[in-house]
Amino acid sequence: MLMEYLSTHPLRTLLEKEPIRLFPPISDRAAWEGLSGKKKESIRRAAEKYAGMEYPMLKASQFLAFARSNSRIAWEDPYFTRRRKLIAAVTDVCLRNAAEDLDDVVDGVWMICEETSWVLSAHNVDGDAFEGMKLPDIDNPVIDLFAAQTAMILALIRHLLGEELDAVSPLIRRRMEREMELRILQPFERRDDFWWMGVVRKDLNNWTPWVVSNVMLTAVLLVREPERLARILTRGCRMLDRYLDIMPEDGGCDEGAAYWGMAGGALLDCLDLLERATGGRMAFWKEEKIRNILLYPARVWITGRWFVNYADCDAAPDMYGERLRFAGHKIGSPEMIALGCRYPDDADHLLEDTPQMWRLMNALFSPEETPEADWAPPADRTLESLQMRILRRGEAILVCKGGGNGDNHNHNDVGSFMLYDRGEPVILDAGNMTYTRKTFSRERYTLWNTRSMYHNVPLIGDAEQAAGAEYAARDTRFLPDGLQCDIAGAYPAEAGAESALRSFRMSGTGEVTLRDEIRLRRAAAVTWVFLLRNRPQAEDGAVITGGWRIEPSEKLQIGTEEIPVTDRRMARNYSGSLWRVTFRAEEKAVHGVSFAMRRHQNLLRD
C-alpha cells in the first residue's frame, strides 16, 4: 500500500523543506504555560514522585537474571524507572522554564548513553536468532522495541532542550546523536536480519510498527540530509507494508486490544508522522484496511474497563486515550472518540506504562474532549478473521470464538468464551501474567494461564488442546444468535476426537446455551471447564456464581479449584482469587451435553 504510493510519489519529493515542528520546545512559553491546570498538575505529580529518587543502577547480574532465573523484571524494573524519571524531569523543567535546573536531565541522559545496550535482556538476540545472548555486545547493537523507544526519548529531549543542554556542554547533545546513530539509525539502514523487518520472517506482529514508528521519529528529529531521511522513511514504509500484508482486511488483531497501542496504535503513529513530514501529501486514512485496524479497540470493547482478552491480552488494559481519540478523528469514528475519552491524559498516569514519551507529548498538547453523546455498541458484532462473535442482550454480554492455536501471543483456547453481566465478568479468560523467560520459550505451555485446561473448553480424557496453527476450529459458522464450530482439530491425535461440534446461542433475554456434541474413536471421559470470577456454590447438580446459574443437561461430577491471583500483572485485572469449576462425564464414545447459563433468581445483584 505505502510502497505502491511511493512508486509514483518518491518520498524525497514529498518531504517538507523545513523540519516539522512536532512539539513546542522549552522556549515556547505560550504553549507550555497554556497547558490546562489538570495537565500541569499531572506533570508536577510525576516530577514529585521521582524527584527524591536516585537513578537506579543497571548491573550485569540484573541483565543475566533472565538467563539464570527466568526473571525479566530484575532488569526491566530499573531500566524503565530510569526512563520514567528522566521523562518526568524533562517535562518538569519545560513546564517550570527551569533551564538552570538541568542536573537530573543531564544525569539521566548521560547514564542512558553510557548503557552498554538499550535492548531488554529478554530481547537480546542477534538478528533472527531465537536464543538470547547472556550479555549485550557493544559492537553488535540490537534493535528491539525498547532500544528504538529509548532513541525516540533522546531524540525528543534533544528537540525540547537542545540549546539548553548545549549551554551545559555541547558534548551532551553530541553524545546523544552519536548513540542514536550507532545503536539505531545505522543498523536500521544496513541490516535486513532483524526478524521484525519482515525480510527473514513473514510472521510479523506488533514489533514491526512499534519499532518502525520510533525509528521514524528519531530520524525525523535527527537526520539533516533530506536524501538520507527519505531513504530511512521509505525503508520503514517497506516494513510497514509487510506488516499490513499479514493483517486481515477486517483489522482483527490476534494479540488483543492491550497490544493495539503497540500494533495498530504504532501504525497510527507512523501514518501521522508521514502525513506531517510530507505536509499532508501522504495520507491513508480512507483506506479500508487502515480504518479497520484503527477501529479494532472499539470493536472489542466489552463494557466499563473490560476488553475481549484472548491470548496475552490484559482484561482491563490501560489504553492511550489521546491516540484513540486521534484515530477517531482521522477516520471519522465517534465510537473511537468516545472510547478515548474514558482514559486520562495525565503525565503521571501515562508514565506508569512503558515510558512512551511520544505518547505523553501527544497527550499533553492535544485538546481535552468529552464525547458528544454516549456511544452504544451494536447488539451483535462479528470479527470473521478471528472467528469471534460478541452478542449483547440487555446487560448480559457473550463473547465466543472458534479460532486457532497459532496466534501471536497464543493461548490454547479454541472454542472458548466469556460472559459478562452488569459491567463485570462472570465467566472469564485469565489473560496475561508478568513475562518471564518461559513466556516466549519452549516452556510457554507449562504456564497455567496459557493452557487449555484453564480456559473455558473441554478436556478429552486427559488431553488438552495443543499449540500450533494446525490445531484450529473447523467449519466455523456465525449464527443469528451465536456461533458454531468443530473444535476437534484443536486436540492432539491421542485425544481420539473425530468431531467436537460446539455451539453458543444467546436468547433475547440474555440466557446462554452452550452445546457440545463430541464423537470419539474410543470411550473417554470429558471434563468441561469454566473459569469464574466469583466463588462457586454447587446446588442440585448446577453451579451458582456471580448471580448466574450454570446447569448441565445431565448429571455430571462437579469439582472446584480456587486460584489465588499472585501475579502482579494479572492482579491489576483480577484481585483476590479466580475459581475453576469442572463438570466431568464418565467414559463414553459419544458425549452430548448442554449447559444452560441464566441469572439466578435468588442471587440477582442490586
Side-chain angles (χ1 to χ4, degrees):
M1 182 186 300
L2 279 69
M3 292 306 298
E4 181 181 2
Y5 177 84
L6 293 178
S7 67
T8 55
H9 304 80
L11 195 47
R12 175 63 188 90
T13 66
L14 300 175
L15 290 175
E16 291 285 89
K17 293 181 180 179
E18 298 297 325
I20 62 174
R21 184 178 181 273
L22 286 172
F23 304 110
I26 188 175
S27 58
D28 187 345
R29 299 318 307 156
W32 283 95
E33 291 169 9
L35 291 175
S36 70
K38 181 180 177 182
K39 291 181 179 180
K40 289 178 179 177
E41 182 56 32
S42 74
I43 293 173
R44 294 188 189 103
R45 284 197 304 268
E48 289 170 2
K49 177 177 180 178
Y50 292 100
M53 179 191 301
E54 293 291 330
Y55 282 101
M57 289 288 292
L58 286 173
K59 298 180 288 187
S61 58
Q62 292 169 304
F63 199 95
L64 288 167
F66 178 70
R68 289 174 171 173
S69 62
N70 295 327
S71 174
R72 291 179 58 140
I73 62 175
W75 179 261
E76 292 178 18
D77 277 1
Y79 174 100
F80 288 130
T81 298
R82 273 192 178 187
R83 286 148 176 80
R84 292 185 184 108
K85 177 176 169 61
L86 175 58
I87 295 169
V90 169
T91 52
D92 179 55
V93 164
C94 288
L95 179 64
R96 293 188 293 113
N97 194 24
E100 75 287 350
D101 193 14
L102 281 174
D103 282 358
D104 242 8
V105 174
V106 171
D107 285 345
V109 166
W110 204 256
M111 275 189 170
I112 287 174
C113 288
E114 288 285 307
E115 291 173 5
T116 299
S117 173
W118 294 337
V119 72
L120 295 190
S121 54
H123 299 164
N124 188 36
V125 298
D126 185 12
D128 189 39
F130 288 97
E131 293 299 325
M133 299 176 285
K134 289 186 176 180
L135 284 171
D137 180 356
I138 197 168
D139 295 320
N140 183 25
V142 173
I143 304 179
D144 78 328
L145 303 171
F146 297 105
Q149 190 161 298
T150 297
M152 173 270 295
I153 292 170
L154 293 186
L156 282 172
I157 293 171
R158 174 183 175 274
H159 173 69
L160 297 173
L161 291 170
E163 293 181 3
E164 287 71 23
L165 292 172
D166 284 347
V168 177
S169 171
L171 292 175
I172 299 170
R173 184 150 52 158
R174 193 183 310 169
R175 179 68 187 280
M176 295 165 73
E177 293 168 356
R178 176 186 184 276
E179 300 304 330
M180 288 185 278
E181 273 286 346
L182 294 178
R183 297 171 190 249
I184 302 299
L185 294 182
Q186 291 182 19
F188 183 82
E189 290 179 280
R190 298 172 183 175
R191 293 183 64 168
D192 286 327
D193 59 330
F194 292 122
W195 69 267
W196 47 264
M197 292 178 164
V199 178
V200 296
R201 277 175 55 181
K202 305 302 180 186
D203 53 329
L204 304 179
N205 60 20
N206 69 81
W207 276 57
T208 302
W210 192 351
V211 172
V212 170
S213 67
N214 287 300
V215 174
M216 279 185 166
L217 182 65
T218 302
V220 164
L221 293 177
L222 190 66
V223 175
R224 299 177 181 85
E225 304 85 1
E227 289 77 11
R228 185 188 180 204
L229 177 59
R231 288 197 304 271
I232 292 173
L233 296 180
T234 299
R235 184 169 170 80
C237 288
R238 187 172 290 111
M239 296 173 195
L240 293 176
D241 266 353
R242 294 170 187 144
Y243 173 73
L244 288 169
D245 285 344
I246 62 97
M247 288 296 292
E249 290 298 322
D250 66 5
C253 177
D254 60 9
E255 296 171 285
Y259 284 88
W260 180 86
M262 303 82 169
L267 176 65
L268 171 69
D269 293 339
C270 295
L271 298 179
D272 176 25
L273 189 62
L274 289 167
E275 182 180 39
R276 295 170 73 172
T278 60
R281 299 176 186 87
M282 197 170 180
F284 296 92
W285 311 114
K286 294 182 180 180
E287 295 287 342
E288 190 65 21
K289 179 182 276 193
I290 297 294
R291 294 176 57 82
N292 286 335
I293 291 171
L294 298 183
L295 271 171
Y296 175 76
R299 288 175 170 167
V300 293
W301 177 67
I302 295 177
T303 184
R305 66 193 187 103
W306 306 105
F307 286 79
V308 175
N309 70 308
Y310 294 120
D312 276 347
C313 181
D314 295 300
D318 272 333
M319 306 290 283
Y320 295 102
E322 180 277 332
R323 288 288 87 182
L324 294 170
R325 299 195 306 273
F326 183 80
H329 286 295
K330 283 296 183 183
I331 62 175
S333 168
E335 57 194 303
M336 285 289 286
I337 297 170
L339 184 60
C341 288
R342 291 176 169 269
Y343 293 90
D345 290 335
D346 299 344
D348 54 333
H349 172 77
L350 290 172
L351 283 179
E352 291 306 306
D353 195 11
T354 57
Q356 226 284 11
M357 190 175 180
W358 189 357
R359 299 282 171 81
L360 172 59
M361 297 301 295
N362 277 322
L364 289 176
F365 291 98
S366 67
E368 297 182 44
E369 295 182 70
T370 55
E372 294 182 2
D374 289 336
W375 164 55
D380 295 350
R381 178 156 267 165
T382 300
L383 279 167
E384 292 191 13
S385 66
L386 302 178
Q387 298 183 17
M388 183 192 299
R389 196 76 190 280
I390 304 173
L391 299 104
R392 302 171 186 269
R393 303 293 184 264
E395 293 183 285
I397 304 170
L398 172 68
V399 183
C400 50
K401 68 186 282 284
N405 286 336
D407 294 341
N408 289 299
H409 294 266
N410 178 68
H411 290 193
N412 291 335
D413 61 355
V414 170
S416 191
F417 74 103
M418 307 168 201
L419 177 65
Y420 282 73
D421 183 37
R422 302 184 185 187
E424 294 297 328
V426 179
I427 302 171
L428 55 82
D429 187 302
N432 210 350
M433 294 199 301
T434 303
Y435 290 156
T436 69
R437 183 178 178 85
K438 287 185 178 180
T439 306
F440 300 107
S441 75
R442 297 180 183 89
E443 298 177 84
R444 176 175 178 83
Y445 297 99
T446 64
L447 300 170
W448 72 265
N449 68 311
T450 66
R451 298 173 61 177
S452 74
M453 68 181 297
Y454 287 94
H455 287 80
N456 303 310
V457 296
L459 296 166
I460 299 177
D462 294 324
E464 299 180 52
Q465 294 185 7
E470 66 272 28
Y471 297 101
R474 302 185 295 236
D475 303 323
T476 299
R477 294 173 53 206
F478 300 104
L479 308 174
D481 56 354
L483 178 144
Q484 178 180 287
C485 58
D486 185 346
I487 64 173
Y491 293 83
E494 54 266 29
E498 292 182 347
S499 65
L501 192 63
R502 166 162 276 213
S503 63
F504 301 93
R505 295 179 183 274
M506 193 175 200
S507 74
T509 59
E511 294 182 5
V512 176
T513 301
L514 164 63
R515 173 73 180 173
D516 278 336
E517 299 175 11
I518 301 173
R519 293 184 176 275
L520 307 176
R521 286 190 289 274
R522 57 188 176 277
V526 171
T527 303
W528 285 268
V529 176
F530 294 81
L531 196 62
L532 310 177
R533 182 67 185 106
N534 299 287
R535 182 188 297 271
Q537 173 188 337
E539 180 183 282
D540 298 329
V543 165
I544 312 299
T545 180
W548 280 67
R549 180 182 180 90
I550 305 172
E551 185 171 3
S553 58
E554 62 184 64
K555 186 173 179 59
L556 302 173
Q557 181 182 348
I558 297 175
T560 63
E561 174 190 358
E562 182 177 7
I563 307 172
V565 178
T566 58
D567 178 80
R568 70 178 187 178
R569 180 167 186 169
M570 188 179 289
R572 295 202 299 262
N573 302 285
Y574 309 115
S575 59
S577 292
L578 303 178
W579 298 84
R580 180 177 180 264
V581 166
T582 57
F583 294 85
R584 182 178 174 86
E586 297 302 321
E587 293 186 357
K588 292 188 290 186
V590 178
H591 294 263
V593 176
S594 297
F595 292 87
M597 290 166 266
R598 61 178 67 91
R599 287 199 183 101
H600 187 57
Q601 59 182 357
N602 296 326
L603 292 176
L604 288 177
R605 286 171 282 177
D606 294 334

